[in-house]
Amino acid sequence: MNKRFYITTAIDYTNGAPHLGHAYEKVITDVIARARRSLGQEAFFLTGIDEHGQKVQQAAQAEGKTAQVYCDELAVIWQSLATKLGLSNDDFIRTTDARHKKVVGAILTKLKAQDDLYKNSHTGFYSVREETFLTEKDRNPDGTWDPKWGQVNELIEENWYFKMGKHQQWLIDYLEANPSFVQPDYRRNEVLGFLKSQPLEDLCITRPAARLNWGIPLPFDPDFVTYVWFDALTNYITVPASLGDPAVCEPLSLSTNSAQPSTALWPADVHVIGKDIVKFHAVYWPIMLQAAGLALPKQILAHGWWQKEGAKISKSTGNIVDPIAVIDEWGLDAFRFYVVRELDIGPDGNWTDAGFRARYQAELANGLGNLVNRSLSMLKRYRDGIVPAPANDLADDAAKAIAEVRSKLEKNELQGALQSVWALITRANQFVDQTAPFKLAKDPAQAPRLDEVLYNLAETCRILAVLLWPFLPTTSTRINEQLGISGSPDGFATAAWGGLKQGHTIGSPAPLFPRKDA
Ligand code: ME8
């Protein structure tokens, strides 16, 4: 049983509409998953939704629905977003799934049995209107509470706590010994800075069911439901457990379904998440796993946040990018291309409509689209679509791009990989301009040279389809179809120069990216 490359996204809260940030994270994770498969690894890609918690409970109440009905309706919307984004996910987790509740119960039971959990009462100030405990930071400088909190009562509340402090030094040592565990480096440094600056407080892992009932009850104390983060993080091991992965089932004493062969996924290879939830993934999650006797994920990969037109994305101000509307207008691959090309994984990004249009026009329509269309149209016109004998003018440029893309994909440098692909596109477009095949076609003495030029261009298009597959799967498949090649261009090894054979007949060229001049 070979362990698969296991990659996950954050699971999205379903109390609002999907936005650019959600879509971006899912697309970069999909590109990494597809890239691994193209490079020959068996990959398993998990995404899903985070359905419990107060906000969902309140939103359901506001619509006069039960929380379950409300979540079932939203799950359809979020699953259709995954389809719309062209995600190649192998599973879609919902935290309301029975399989998930079982695993949350199992990890809590184990921690309780080990004496890692204890019940304690906490005195604090509670906002009735916002249904939340306030901290000293929420106080006005004069000691009063802002009117937005409504009535604030001092309250004693019992809850269950998870002992974290005893793992603090272990985690610091682990982060120092494993620099790739949290990436980029500046995020790892933030986590280390946080861990070294203060003693880690025990984590409150419940809410009283009397206050919040939309959650997973504690198996040993049903007056409490599991705190939303303890519930949510566990999703990453739920799916391996449901597939009988012994790396999860054995430490948690879960039975494997012996009727089915089990799938080895854990530990995850990459958890892709946003910068705001690094602490949960790089502090709480490793400590939960360590305490429960499970292996740690190999990497937490934190991406930055998008703004739009230089301002925070916000539904209330209307400053939003609706990924579905963009895809409906411009096509899925235009959306995927822009977000991956514009923003490297790590720093923050800024979506501008003008920037989106500019990249569409210059890089997709005039760059890739024009190269493929003119290359294949000339082959059709001058040689009846029949591939001439191999020639090698662009072989070195292609080999350079192939090597660079491979090495960048192995390091999850997606933006860099696209830059290397576009260097080849630019070079090939220059080659058309320099060799001027339309002129060669007018001179019968130049027929051998025209053959060479046409071979170079068609073969470059074939290689581009392979290199682009993880990023632009629809476009890449269309290039392959136009080349008359059956099957999907999803194997990186086939990118090597010379794959196109003399005498092969291509299909029909058609524009890949319609011009949007209006
Ligand atoms: O945090 N730009 O859910 P969520 C880029 N349920 N990414 C963004 C973004 C933006 N403007 N806004 C949000 C949660 N994201 C939890 C996760 S995981 C066990 C539980 C990213 O719906 C955000 O950083 O608030 C996170 O990775 C993801 O979208 C889901 O955010």
Side-chain angles (χ1 to χ4, degrees):
M1 187 174 56
N2 289 331
K3 188 189 129 26
R4 294 204 213 169
F5 179 88
Y6 178 35
I7 185 163
T8 65
T9 68
I11 50 173
D12 299 324
Y13 288 132
T14 53
N15 55 332
H19 61 59
L20 171 63
H22 297 129
Y24 168 69
E25 179 177 282
K26 279 43 186 188
V27 167
I28 57 176
T29 311
D30 184 60
V31 174
I32 297 174
R34 286 177 186 266
R36 295 300 160 142
R37 296 188 189 114
S38 176
L39 289 166
Q41 264 181 301
E42 252 197 298
F44 191 100
F45 167 19
L46 176 67
T47 188
I49 47 178
D50 190 356
E51 304 180 273
H52 292 126
Q54 189 155 307
K55 285 190 177 154
V56 173
Q57 184 174 305
Q58 284 168 345
Q61 267 162 8
E63 292 192 17
K65 294 174 181 156
T66 65
Q68 188 64 56
V69 165
Y70 176 83
C71 284
D72 289 346
E73 288 173 4
L74 281 166
V76 174
I77 295 176
W78 287 82
Q79 268 165 317
S80 72
L81 174 74
T83 308
K84 189 97 189 169
L85 293 171
L87 303 188
S88 60
N89 56 306
D90 297 277
D91 204 333
F92 188 93
I93 179 94
R94 297 181 54 186
T95 52
T96 51
D97 287 348
R99 58 180 177 167
H100 179 64
K101 293 177 186 165
K102 187 169 138 193
V103 178
V104 171
I107 190 168
L108 285 165
T109 303
K110 175 157 188 184
L111 295 178
K112 167 81 167 41
Q114 292 175 177
D115 207 22
D116 278 319
L117 307 182
Y118 64 95
K119 204 174 181 177
N120 202 4
S121 59
H122 164 79
T123 308
F125 291 94
Y126 187 77
S127 152
V128 180
R129 180 187 294 164
E130 296 298 324
E131 296 191 39
T132 185
F133 272 96
L134 305 176
T135 66
E136 286 306 315
K137 279 188 230 139
D138 298 314
R139 255 187 220 279
N140 292 327
D142 65 359
T144 59
W145 299 103
D146 194 277
K148 74 175 176 193
W149 300 117
Q151 190 183 340
V152 177
N153 298 333
E154 195 169 7
L155 210 93
I156 300 180
E157 186 171 283
E158 274 204 309
N159 268 308
W160 284 85
Y161 290 81
F162 171 43
K163 294 178 191 168
M164 299 242 290
K166 63 178 175 181
H167 303 286
Q168 183 160 7
Q169 191 54 46
W170 160 79
L171 185 55
I172 292 173
D173 295 343
Y174 188 84
L175 280 159
E176 283 185 333
N178 297 277
S180 60
F181 180 56
V182 180
Q183 281 297 306
D185 279 336
Y186 46 89
R187 297 286 170 221
R188 169 176 162 266
N189 293 339
E190 281 169 17
V191 176
L192 272 170
F194 164 78
L195 280 170
K196 286 178 177 176
S197 67
Q198 56 203 305
L200 211 47
E201 283 181 20
D202 291 344
L203 181 68
C204 177
I205 61 153
T206 57
R207 296 292 179 262
R211 176 153 77 80
L212 170 72
N213 61 35
W214 187 234
I216 302 177
L218 293 195
F220 43 86
D221 194 349
D223 288 343
F224 295 88
V225 298
T226 314
Y227 166 55
V228 66
W229 272 100
F230 207 94
D231 170 352
L233 288 162
T234 304
N235 94 83
Y236 302 131
I237 55 173
T238 292
V239 170
S242 72
L243 296 172
D245 186 347
V248 176
C249 293
E250 280 170 17
L252 296 185
S253 309
L254 289 161
S255 59
T256 52
N257 180 354
S258 50
Q260 277 180 352
S262 54
T263 306
L265 297 180
W266 197 256
D269 291 83
V270 190
H271 290 318
V272 179
I273 55 155
K275 64 174 184 177
D276 58 321
I277 55 177
V278 170
K279 188 166 96 179
F280 299 100
H281 284 81
V283 178
Y284 301 170
W285 182 227
I287 292 181
M288 282 166 67
L289 291 166
Q290 164 78 355
L294 275 100
L296 264 47
K298 294 188 190 143
Q299 185 168 81
I300 315 290
L301 182 59
H303 62 77
W305 266 36
W306 283 92
Q307 293 195 323
K308 182 182 180 219
E309 315 289 347
K312 188 176 185 294
I313 292 178
S314 152
K315 215 167 141 187
S316 51
T317 61
N319 194 42
I320 53 157
V321 179
D322 175 1
I324 294 174
V326 175
I327 292 168
D328 285 342
E329 185 177 354
W330 296 84
L332 170 60
D333 282 356
F335 178 80
R336 290 175 61 110
F337 175 73
Y338 179 75
V339 292
V340 179
R341 177 62 187 81
E342 181 69 22
L343 183 57
D344 199 9
I345 300 179
D348 288 336
N350 184 28
W351 175 293
T352 65
D353 289 341
F356 179 88
R357 282 167 198 273
R359 283 204 188 279
Y360 181 91
Q361 200 58 37
E363 290 159 75
L364 293 178
N366 297 342
L368 174 62
N370 191 30
L371 174 68
V372 174
N373 198 242
R374 58 184 178 162
S375 298
L376 302 192
S377 298
M378 289 189 292
L379 183 54
K380 195 93 188 167
R381 191 173 327 126
Y382 304 138
R383 294 293 180 265
D384 281 334
I386 299 170
V387 175
N392 297 331
D393 302 59
L394 294 176
D396 289 348
D397 297 282
K400 180 167 178 279
I402 293 166
E404 283 179 13
V405 172
R406 173 186 284 277
S407 133
K408 289 174 185 177
L409 288 179
E410 283 167 351
K411 293 183 274 182
N412 301 330
E413 291 174 8
L414 310 186
Q415 185 192 50
L418 280 184
Q419 282 163 335
S420 297
V421 176
W422 254 261
L424 178 61
I425 293 172
T426 305
R427 171 73 188 100
N429 270 324
Q430 278 167 356
F431 181 73
V432 179
D433 298 340
Q434 284 159 0
T435 56
F438 23 87
K439 284 190 195 149
L440 297 176
K442 289 184 188 141
D443 180 359
Q446 294 288 356
R449 182 57 183 151
L450 181 59
D451 279 344
E452 288 174 2
V453 170
L454 293 173
Y455 183 88
N456 275 289
L457 293 174
E459 176 61 355
T460 301
C461 292
R462 187 193 67 79
I463 291 169
L464 286 170
V466 178
L467 300 184
L468 284 169
W469 190 77
F471 301 90
L472 313 180
T474 315
T475 304
S476 140
T477 305
R478 287 186 67 202
I479 297 172
N480 234 30
E481 279 164 12
Q482 294 185 19
L483 278 163
I485 300 173
S486 57
S488 165
D490 59 359
F492 199 91
T494 63
W497 187 266
L500 213 47
K501 299 294 175 231
Q502 180 175 10
H504 169 82
T505 306
I506 64 164
S508 307
L512 294 170
F513 300 98
R515 281 179 199 279
K516 304 252 188 184
D517 293 325

